[in-house]
C-alpha cells in the first residue's frame, strides 16, 4: 500500500510543478520539482530508498528511448561530425581530464569514484536545454548538436559510469578487462537493440497487414519496448541496456516512419501523446526524487567530519566550472578546426560560451547517480556515496540556474514561443516567409471568425441552439487568445470597454427583474435567487472574469443545494419556481439584448476600436440568445441525441473551413510554415475531440 501512496504523491507533485511553471515560466520546471521534493522530504518526512536495478529500468530506459525516438535524422546527419565528437571524444575527455581534476579537488574521493562522477555528469539533457531555448533564441546548429549528442553521450557516459562504479565495487581496475568488457557491452548491446527493434517493427507491421489496427495494441507495444529491450540486454546478455535502448529506439523510429501512412491516424496520435505524457511524468519524478534525496545526503554531509557543508557546496560549484570550461574550450577548438577546413566559417568565442552553457545536466544524470549502491563487494559502505550524490545534484542545479540566467544575456535575443502549448516538431523555413504579415495568433483568430460565419450560414429553426453554443465556444477561444496577447504585451485589448458592455447588459437585467416583481409575475423567492445570480456576475465583472466561464463549481453546488432547501420549505412548488425562473431568464436576456443593441448605435464607424466594440457586443448578444434558446429547447433523450448529431456535423464543417483558411493563408505567404503547422494541430485536436465517442452505425 505504501508504494501505491508514494506513486500517487509523486504524480500529484509533478502535476503541481506543471501548474506552477505556467505562472512563472522564466524558471525551469526542474527547479520547481526539486523544491517540491525538498518540501516532501523536510515537511512531510517522505524518504525513498532507491534500488539501482529497478531505477535504471524504470527511468533510464524509457527516457533514452524517448530521446532516440525524437531523433531528427536530417539535421543531425549533416552535423554528424560535431555530434560524434561531442558525444564520444568530449565524454571521454571529460571523464578522464575532469575525473583527474576532481580527484585533485577532492582527495577524499577515490580515483574510480572521481571518474564515475565525471562520467555521470558528462551527458547533457536536451529536455532542459529546449525548455530554456523556448525563452531565448539559440542558434539552430547548437540546438541540433545538443539534441544529437544527448543520444550517444548518454550511452557513452553511462557505460563509462557503470565501468567506474563496478571497478569501485570490486576494488580493482584492470585496463584490459575494462576495455574488453566495454566492447562486449557496446557491441552486444547494439546488436540486441537492433534485433529487438526490428522484431517489434515486424510484429506491428504483421498486425497492420492482418487488418488489426488496434490502438491499444500499438500503444502498449510502444510503451513496453524500452523496458523489454533493456531487460533482455542487461539480464540475458549482460550487455549495455543503455546502448540497446538507444539503438532500438532509433531503428524503430526509422521503420515506423516508413509505415506511418499505412496506420490509422488515431494510432499515431494516441501513441505519441500517451508516450509524451508518460515520459513527462518520469522526467518530473526524477527531479522530485532528487529533492527527496538531497536532505538525506546533506544530513550525512553535515554530520561528516571529513567534509564541511559549505565546502561540499563549493565542490559542486567547482565541478560545474570544470565541466563548463572543458566543454567551452572543446567547442572553441572545434570552431578552429572547421575554420581551417572551411575558411568562410568565422570563429566566435561567444558561440563557444553558448555551447558551454547549453551543457545542462538533468534527468539522466540524476537517474544514474541515484543508482550508486550503498555497499561494495566486501560489505563496507560505498566510498563517499553521499558526497558523490550531493555534488552531482549541485552540478545539475547550478547548470540549470546559470543557463537560465546567462543564456538570455549572452544570446541577447528572446523568442515569443509559447511553451505552455503542445510541442510540435521543428520545420524548415520557407522562402516565401519574408512576405508573412500575420502572426500565429492573428491567423487563428481569422480562421475562427470564418468558422463562426459558416455556423451562422448553417443556422435554422432546428439547430439554432447548437449554433449559438458553438459560436459561444469559438468566441471564448478568441477571448483566450486576446488575453494571452495582452499578458505578453504584444497587443493591447481594451478590457475596460468589454467590462462596460457587460455592466450595461447587467443593469438592463436588474431593471427587468424589478419590473417582473412589481408586476407580480414572479415571487420573492424567484426574485432573490435571480438577484443573487446577478450579484455574482457583477463581482466577476469587477475581477475581470468571464461569468460564463466560472469554475467555482463547489460554491455553485452549495448555493443550489441551499436554494432547493428554501424552495422545499416555502409555499411555492418546485415546478412553479422553475417556470418563474425560466420566464425571468428569458425576459432578462431579451432586455439585455435590447440594451446592448441601443448602446452600440453610437459605434457605427469603421475604425478599429468601433469594430472591436461591435464584435464584443455581438459576443454578448450571442450569449443571451443562447440563454433564451436553452429555456425554450425541449430536454428529452430523443432531442439530446439529435442535438449531438447537429453539434458534431456543424463543428466538423466549421473546422474544415478553418483548416482550408489556414492552408490558403500559407499558400498566399501570409503565415509561416511553423504557424500553419501549429494551427492545423489545434484544429486536428478539436476535430478528434468532436468525433470522440460518436461512433455511427
Amino acid at each position: 500500500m505504501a508504494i501505491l501512496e508514494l506513486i500517487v504523491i509523486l504524480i500529484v507533485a509533478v502535476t503541481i510543478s506543471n501548474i506552477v511553471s505556467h505562472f512563472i515560466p522564466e524558471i525551469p520546471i526542474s527547479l520547481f520539482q526539486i523544491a517540491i521534493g525538498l518540501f516532501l522530504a523536510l515537511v512531510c518526512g517522505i524518504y525513498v530508498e532507491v534500488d539501482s536495478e529497478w531505477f535504471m529500468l524504470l527511468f533510464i530506459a524509457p527516457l533514452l528511448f524517448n530521446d532516440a525516438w525524437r531523433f531528427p535524422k536530417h539535421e543531425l546527419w549533416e552535423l554528424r561530425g560535431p555530434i560524434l565528437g561531442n558525444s564520444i571524444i568530449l565524454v571521454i575527455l571529460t571523464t578522464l581530464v575532469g575525473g583527474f581534476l576532481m580527484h585533485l579537488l577532492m582527495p577524499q574521493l577515490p580515483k574510480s569514484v572521481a571518474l564515475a562522477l565525471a562520467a555521470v555528469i558528462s551527458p547533457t539533457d536536451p529536455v532542459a536545454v529546449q525548455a530554456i531555448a523556448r525563452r531565448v533564441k539559440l542558434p539552430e546548429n547548437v540546438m541540433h548538436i545538443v539534441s544529437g549528442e544527448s543520444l550517444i553521450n548518454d550511452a557513452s557516459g553511462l557505460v563509462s559510469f557503470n565501468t567506474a562504479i563496478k571497478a569501485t565495487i570490486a576494488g580493482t581496475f584492470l585496463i584490459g578487462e575494462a576495455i574488453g568488457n566495454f566492447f562486449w557491452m557496446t557491441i552486444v548491446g547494439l546488436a540486441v537493440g537492433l534485433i529487438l527493434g526490428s522484431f517489434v517493427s515486424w510484429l506491428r507491421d504483421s498486425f497492420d497487414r492482418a487488418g488489426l489496427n488496434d490502438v491499444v495494441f500499438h500503444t502498449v507495444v510502444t510503451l513496453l519496448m524500452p523496458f523489454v529491450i533493456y531487460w533482455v540486454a542487461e539480464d540475458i546478455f549482460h550487455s549495455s541496456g543503455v546502448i540497446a535502448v538507444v539503438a532500438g529506439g532509433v531503428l524503430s523510429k526509422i521503420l515506423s516512419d516508413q509505415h506511418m501512412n499505412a496506420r490509422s491516424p488515431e494510432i499515431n496520435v494516441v501513441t505519441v501523446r500517451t508516450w509524451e505524457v508518460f515520459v513527462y511524468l518520469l522526467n518530473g519524478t526524477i527531479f522530485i526524487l532528487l529533492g527527496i534525496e538531497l536532505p538525506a545526503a546533506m544530513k550525512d554531509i553535515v554530520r561528516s567530519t571529513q567534509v564541511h557543508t559549505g565546502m561540499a557546496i563549493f565542490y559542486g560549484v567547482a565541478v560545474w566550472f570544470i565541466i563548463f570550461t572543458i566543454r567551452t574550450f572543446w567547442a572553441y577548438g572545434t570552431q578552429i578546426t572547421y575554420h581551417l577546413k572551411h575558411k568562410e566559417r568565422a570563429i566566435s568565442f561567444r558561440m563557444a560560451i553558448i555551447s558551454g552553457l547549453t551543457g545542462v545536466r538533468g534527468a539522466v544524470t540524476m537517474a544514474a547517480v541515484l543508482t550508486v549502491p550503498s555497499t561494495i563487494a566486501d560489505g563496507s559502505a560505498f566510498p563517499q556515496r553521499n558526497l558523490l550524490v550531493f555534488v552531482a545534484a549541485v552540478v545539475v542545479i547550478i547548470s540549470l540556474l546559470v543557463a537560465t540566467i546567462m543564456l538570455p544575456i549572452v544570446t541577447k535575443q528572446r523568442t515569443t514561443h509559447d511553451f505552455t502549448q503542445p510541442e510540435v516538431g521543428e520545420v524548415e523555413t520557407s522562402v516565401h516567409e519574408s512576405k508573412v504579415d500575420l502572426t500565429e495568433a492573428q491567423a487563428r483568430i481569422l480562421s475562427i471568425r470564418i468558422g463562426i460565419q459558416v455556423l451562422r450560414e448553417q443556422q435554422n429553426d432546428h439547430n439554432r441552439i447548437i449554433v449559438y453554443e458553438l459560436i459561444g465556444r469559438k468566441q471564448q477561444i478568441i477571448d483566450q487568445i486576446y488575453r494571452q496577447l495582452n499578458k505578453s504585451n504584444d497587443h493591447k485589448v481594451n478590457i475596460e470597454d468589454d467590462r462596460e458592455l457587460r455592466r450595461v447588459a447587467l443593469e438592463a437585467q436588474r431593471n427587468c427583474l424589478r419590473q417582473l416583481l412589481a408586476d407580480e409575475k414572479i415571487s420573492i423567492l424567484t426574485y432573490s435567487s435571480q438577484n443573487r445570480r446577478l450579484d455574482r456576475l457583477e463581482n466577476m465583472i469587477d475581477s475581470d472574469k468571464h461569468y460564463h466561464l466560472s469554475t467555482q463549481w463547489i460554491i455553485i453546488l452549495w448555493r443550489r443545494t441551499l436554494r432547493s432547501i428554501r424552495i422545499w420549505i416555502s409555499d411555492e412548488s418546485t415546478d412553479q419556481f422553475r417556470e418563474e425562473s425560466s420566464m425571468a431568464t428569458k425576459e432578462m436576456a431579451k432586455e439585455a439584448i435590447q440594451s446592448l443593441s441601443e448602446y452600440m448605435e453610437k459605434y457605427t464607424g469603421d475604425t478599429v476600436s468601433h469594430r472591436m466594440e461591435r464584435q464584443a457586443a455581438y459576443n454578448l448578444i450571442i450569449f443571451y440568445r443562447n440563454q433564451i434558446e436553452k429555456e425554450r429547447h425541449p430536454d428529452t433523450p430523443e432531442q439530446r441525441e439529435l442535438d449531438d448529431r447537429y453539434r458534431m456535423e456543424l463543428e466538423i464543417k466549421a473546422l474544415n473551413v478553418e483548416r482550408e483558411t489556414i492552408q490558403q493563408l500559407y499558400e498566399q505567404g501570409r503565415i509561416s510554415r511553423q504557424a500553419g503547422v501549429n494551427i492545423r494541430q489545434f484544429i486536428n485536436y478539436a476535430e478528434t475531440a468532436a468525433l470522440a465517442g460518436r461512433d455511427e452505425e
Side-chain angles (χ1 to χ4, degrees):
M1 186 63 182
I3 189 66
L4 296 178
E5 294 174 352
L6 177 63
I7 292 173
V8 172
I9 291 173
L10 292 176
I11 293 176
V12 171
V14 174
T15 305
I16 292 174
S17 68
N18 177 267
I19 296 173
V20 174
S21 68
H22 280 68
F23 294 97
I24 314 177
E26 292 78 12
I27 301 177
I29 190 174
S30 305
L31 296 179
F32 289 122
Q33 291 161 348
I34 294 173
I36 292 174
L38 286 169
F39 174 83
L40 292 175
L42 297 175
V43 179
C44 303
I46 295 177
Y47 175 73
V48 181
E49 185 175 353
V50 177
D51 179 81
S52 60
E53 293 185 2
W54 69 257
F55 200 83
M56 291 287 287
L57 176 63
L58 179 59
F59 290 99
I60 291 290
L63 288 177
L64 292 184
F65 186 85
N66 177 66
D67 290 343
W69 187 270
R70 297 168 60 187
F71 192 85
K73 300 181 291 296
H74 178 70
E75 293 83 356
L76 298 184
W77 175 253
E78 293 182 347
L79 296 169
R80 58 190 179 277
I83 288 172
L84 290 175
N86 282 20
S87 56
I88 297 178
I89 301 177
L90 179 58
V91 167
I92 296 175
L93 184 67
T94 302
T95 301
L96 297 178
V97 177
F100 175 74
L101 294 176
M102 292 173 198
H103 177 65
L104 293 179
L105 177 68
M106 298 174 283
Q108 62 270 40
L109 281 184
K111 291 182 180 179
S112 59
V113 178
L115 290 172
L117 175 60
V120 80
I121 60 177
S122 60
T124 55
D125 184 3
V127 176
V129 176
Q130 289 166 5
I132 298 171
R134 294 168 199 162
R135 290 177 291 276
V136 296
K137 190 173 181 59
L138 292 177
E140 288 188 3
N141 62 329
V142 173
M143 282 303 305
H144 291 152
I145 291 175
V146 172
S147 299
E149 71 172 298
S150 66
L151 284 178
I152 307 173
N153 69 12
D154 283 340
S156 56
L158 290 178
V159 169
S160 302
F161 169 74
N162 289 331
T163 302
I165 292 297
K166 290 179 180 179
T168 304
I169 294 174
T172 58
F173 182 78
L174 300 176
I175 186 66
E177 181 180 346
I179 293 175
N181 184 53
F182 181 87
F183 277 101
W184 169 266
M185 294 179 67
T186 302
I187 296 173
V188 176
L190 182 64
V192 170
L194 295 177
I195 292 172
L196 289 182
S198 301
F199 173 76
V200 173
S201 179
W202 170 83
L203 184 65
R204 297 179 68 184
D205 292 342
S206 299
F207 269 72
D208 291 338
R209 287 191 295 270
L212 300 176
N213 287 327
D214 185 77
V215 176
V216 175
F217 169 78
H218 285 280
T219 304
V220 171
V221 167
T222 305
L223 288 175
L224 289 178
M225 274 187 70
F227 302 105
V228 173
I229 293 175
Y230 185 90
W231 175 77
V232 170
E234 288 281 340
D235 288 10
I236 297 180
F237 293 95
H238 305 289
S239 59
S240 173
V242 170
I243 293 178
V245 166
V246 171
V250 172
L251 181 63
S252 298
K253 175 60 176 175
I254 294 174
L255 297 177
S256 177
D257 288 344
Q258 295 176 356
H259 300 86
M260 184 69 72
N261 295 329
R263 296 197 178 110
S264 165
E266 183 183 7
I267 292 176
N268 298 326
V269 172
V270 173
T271 301
V272 171
R273 294 309 171 197
T274 302
W275 183 249
E276 287 180 353
V277 172
F278 177 63
V279 169
Y280 181 86
L281 289 175
L282 291 180
N283 198 71
T285 302
I286 288 176
F287 285 101
I288 290 174
L289 288 175
L290 165 61
I292 293 175
E293 287 282 317
L294 275 180
M298 290 179 64
K299 180 176 65 175
D300 292 325
I301 291 295
V302 170
R303 293 177 177 176
S304 174
T305 57
Q306 298 178 345
V307 182
H308 187 269
T309 306
M311 184 59 67
I313 297 176
F314 168 76
Y315 286 157
V317 176
V319 167
W320 170 82
F321 184 76
I322 289 173
I323 60 173
F324 166 75
T325 303
I326 293 175
R327 184 178 179 86
T328 300
F329 280 99
W330 170 266
Y332 192 67
T334 302
Q335 290 186 46
I336 295 176
T337 302
Y338 272 80
H339 178 73
L340 296 177
K341 294 181 179 180
H342 310 281
K343 298 298 183 181
E344 69 276 6
R345 295 196 177 186
I347 301 175
S348 170
F349 193 71
R350 185 174 71 91
M351 289 294 296
I353 293 177
I354 292 175
S355 179
L357 291 173
T358 57
V360 178
R361 274 61 189 173
V364 172
T365 294
M366 291 319 307
V369 79
L370 290 176
T371 64
V372 175
S374 301
T375 59
I376 59 177
D378 60 5
S380 59
F382 190 95
Q384 299 296 334
R385 180 187 186 277
N386 292 319
L387 181 60
L388 174 65
V389 174
F390 183 81
V391 170
V394 172
V395 170
V396 171
I397 296 173
I398 293 297
S399 67
L400 284 168
L401 287 174
V402 174
T404 303
I405 297 171
M406 294 302 299
L407 277 176
I409 298 175
V410 176
T411 59
K412 300 178 182 180
Q413 288 183 308
R414 298 186 67 85
T415 178
T416 58
H417 178 88
D418 184 4
F419 82 104
T420 64
Q421 298 298 332
E423 290 299 312
V424 294
E426 294 296 325
V427 294
E428 299 175 358
T429 56
S430 299
V431 177
H432 72 276
E433 287 189 6
S434 59
K435 300 183 293 182
V436 168
D437 63 349
L438 289 178
T439 65
E440 181 178 326
Q442 291 171 334
R444 283 192 67 196
I445 292 173
L446 176 60
S447 66
I448 293 172
R449 284 179 172 166
I450 293 177
I452 290 175
Q453 183 60 40
V454 170
L455 291 173
R456 292 180 194 166
E457 296 171 356
Q458 298 293 322
Q459 178 181 323
N460 55 48
D461 293 338
H462 302 290
N463 62 14
R464 182 175 289 109
I465 185 173
I466 304 302
V467 169
Y468 288 157
E469 174 192 325
L470 294 178
I471 290 177
R473 289 183 187 176
K474 293 184 179 299
Q475 289 169 344
Q476 291 174 15
I477 296 174
I478 293 176
D479 290 343
Q480 290 172 359
I481 297 173
Y482 274 131
R483 287 197 299 274
Q484 291 172 358
L485 292 175
N486 188 61
K487 287 180 181 178
S488 63
N489 294 322
D490 293 332
H491 299 270
K492 292 298 181 183
V493 181
N494 198 338
I495 297 176
E496 190 57 42
D497 290 342
D498 182 63
R499 290 178 179 173
E500 181 62 26
L501 283 172
R502 289 154 64 183
R503 291 191 184 100
V504 168
L506 192 62
E507 185 61 28
Q509 292 180 83
R510 287 195 186 278
N511 293 335
C512 178
L513 186 62
R514 296 190 191 102
Q515 189 62 44
L516 291 173
L517 179 63
D519 295 341
E520 298 182 353
K521 294 182 178 180
I522 59 175
S523 64
I524 293 293
L525 182 61
T526 304
Y527 173 83
S528 62
S529 176
Q530 293 289 336
N531 194 54
R532 279 192 296 271
R533 182 175 66 86
L534 296 179
D535 289 338
R536 293 195 298 272
L537 298 182
E538 187 172 17
N539 292 334
M540 291 180 182
I541 291 174
D542 294 333
S543 61
D544 191 32
K545 294 180 181 178
H546 287 254
Y547 53 90
H548 51 286
L549 295 177
S550 175
T551 57
Q552 299 175 336
W553 60 272
I554 297 178
I555 298 176
I556 294 173
L557 181 61
W558 173 249
R559 287 171 175 168
R560 287 180 178 176
T561 302
L562 293 179
R563 185 181 65 182
S564 300
I565 295 174
R566 287 197 300 270
I567 295 171
W568 181 69
I569 63 177
S570 66
D571 294 334
E572 291 92 354
S573 66
T574 303
D575 292 339
Q576 178 186 350
F577 176 80
R578 288 175 178 171
E579 290 176 2
E580 290 181 359
S581 297
S582 178
M583 184 268 294
T585 300
K586 288 186 288 187
E587 293 302 321
M588 287 191 297
K590 291 177 183 178
E591 287 298 322
I593 293 172
Q594 179 65 27
S595 180
L596 288 170
S597 300
E598 294 174 356
Y599 182 81
M600 291 310 299
E601 289 180 357
K602 58 182 180 181
Y603 293 99
T604 57
D606 195 33
T607 62
V608 174
S609 61
H610 282 201
R611 289 199 299 269
M612 291 181 64
E613 280 292 317
R614 290 197 296 270
Q615 182 63 43
Y618 174 75
N619 294 349
L620 278 177
I621 289 173
I622 287 293
F623 170 74
Y624 287 117
R625 285 179 177 172
N626 193 29
Q627 277 192 339
I628 295 172
E629 291 299 324
K630 280 184 178 179
E631 298 300 329
R632 294 175 177 173
H633 201 64
D635 186 16
T636 63
E638 295 78 11
Q639 186 62 48
R640 286 195 293 270
E641 183 178 353
L642 187 61
D643 290 345
D644 283 341
R645 193 181 72 186
Y646 287 149
R647 186 178 293 107
M648 183 187 69
E649 293 174 353
L650 290 169
E651 194 162 5
I652 296 302
K653 285 183 180 179
L655 291 172
N656 285 337
V657 172
E658 292 177 29
R659 186 182 289 108
E660 292 172 0
T661 301
I662 295 303
Q663 181 63 27
Q664 291 173 2
L665 291 176
Y666 171 68
E667 291 174 354
Q668 295 168 3
R670 301 191 62 188
I671 60 174
S672 66
R673 185 180 180 186
Q674 185 63 56
V677 169
N678 293 344
I679 299 172
R680 278 192 291 265
Q681 186 181 47
F682 280 108
I683 295 173
N684 291 339
Y685 289 157
E687 189 174 58
T688 301
L691 294 172
R694 310 196 196 287
D695 296 334
E696 298 292 336
E697 295 294 335

